[in-house]
C-alpha cells in the first residue's frame, strides 16, 4: 500500500451575504479537472489543515488526519472557544477530500454563491466559499 502524506491547506468560508449564483460551466470544468487530478494521485492517507468561519460560530482551525480514506483524527489548533458539543459536532462533520468533492458537486448548481479554488498540481480544494 502506498502511503502518501500530503499537507493540504483548506479554508472553508461559509457566509450568507451574497444573493447571486456565480456557478457556471467554467466552474464545472475546473471542478471536473480538479477531481481527475486528485483521483490520479490515489491518495488514501494524508493530513490537511482546515480553517472554517461561519456566522454561527467563532472561526476555528484544525488538522485532519485521513488513513485508508477515512477521517481517523481531528486536532484543534486552539480549543479555548470551543464547547465540548461544538467540538464533537465539528469532528462528526469533518470530511475527507473525496467527500468535499461530493459536496462541491452537490452545491455548485444550487448555491446562491459558489466559489472554489484548487491546488494546480494535485487538484484538492484550497479555498471554498459557499452560501
Amino acid at each position: 500500500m502506498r502511503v502518501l502524506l500530503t499537507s493540504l491547506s483548506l479554508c472553508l468560508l461559509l457566509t450568507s451575504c451574497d444573493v447571486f449564483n456565480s456557478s457556471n460551466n467554467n466552474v464545472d470544468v475546473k471542478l471536473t479537472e480538479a477531481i481527475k487530478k486528485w483521483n490520479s494521485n490515489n491518495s488514501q492517507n494524508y493530513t490537511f489543515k482546515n480553517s472554517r468561519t461561519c456566522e454561527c460560530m467563532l472561526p476555528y482551525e484544525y488538522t485532519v488526519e485521513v488513513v485508508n480514506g477515512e477521517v481517523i483524527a481531528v486536532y484543534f489548533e486552539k480549543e479555548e472557544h470551543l464547547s465540548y458539543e461544538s467540538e464533537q459536532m465539528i469532528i462528526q462533520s469533518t470530511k475527507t477530500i473525496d467527500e468535499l468533492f461530493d459536496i462541491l458537486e452537490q452545491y455548485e448548481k444550487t448555491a446562491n454563491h459558489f466559489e472554489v479554488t484548487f491546488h494546480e498540481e494535485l487538484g484538492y480544494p484550497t479555498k471554498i466559499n459557499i452560501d
Side-chain angles (χ1 to χ4, degrees):
M1 173 170 58
R2 185 178 122 196
V3 176
L4 173 65
L5 180 62
T6 306
S7 179
L8 307 172
S9 296
L10 179 64
C11 180
L12 295 175
L13 300 174
L14 302 174
T15 61
S16 63
C17 298
D18 297 312
V19 293
F20 61 91
N21 188 338
S22 65
S23 298
N24 57 38
N25 289 338
N26 190 27
V27 173
D28 187 36
V29 170
K30 288 181 183 179
L31 178 57
T32 301
E33 290 173 4
I35 291 170
K36 285 180 184 176
K37 286 179 184 179
W38 175 253
N39 287 338
S40 72
N41 294 313
N42 197 26
S43 300
Q44 294 295 307
N45 304 307
Y46 53 90
T47 61
F48 65 93
K49 284 191 174 276
N50 190 7
S51 63
R52 190 170 185 172
T53 59
C54 66
E55 293 179 2
C56 57
M57 298 176 71
L58 292 171
Y60 53 90
E61 294 183 358
Y62 55 96
T63 300
V64 179
E65 184 176 359
V66 177
V67 174
N68 294 326
E70 300 213 12
V71 175
I72 63 158
V74 175
Y75 309 100
F76 291 92
E77 305 297 321
K78 297 178 182 177
E79 296 184 41
E80 64 269 6
H81 64 272
L82 291 173
S83 67
Y84 176 79
E85 290 80 15
S86 62
E87 186 176 318
Q88 294 306 305
M89 180 195 70
I90 293 164
I91 291 169
Q92 292 172 356
S93 66
T94 297
K95 307 295 184 206
T96 65
I97 298 301
D98 291 322
E99 291 170 328
L100 287 174
F101 277 125
D102 292 341
I103 290 169
L104 292 174
E105 287 179 315
Q106 175 186 351
Y107 284 111
E108 74 173 326
K109 292 180 175 51
T110 61
N112 289 327
H113 177 79
F114 181 92
E115 179 183 354
V116 62
T117 56
F118 302 99
H119 187 275
E120 193 171 317
E121 184 180 334
L122 299 176
Y124 59 82
T126 58
K127 181 180 180 182
I128 298 171
N129 186 335
I130 299 174
D131 181 13

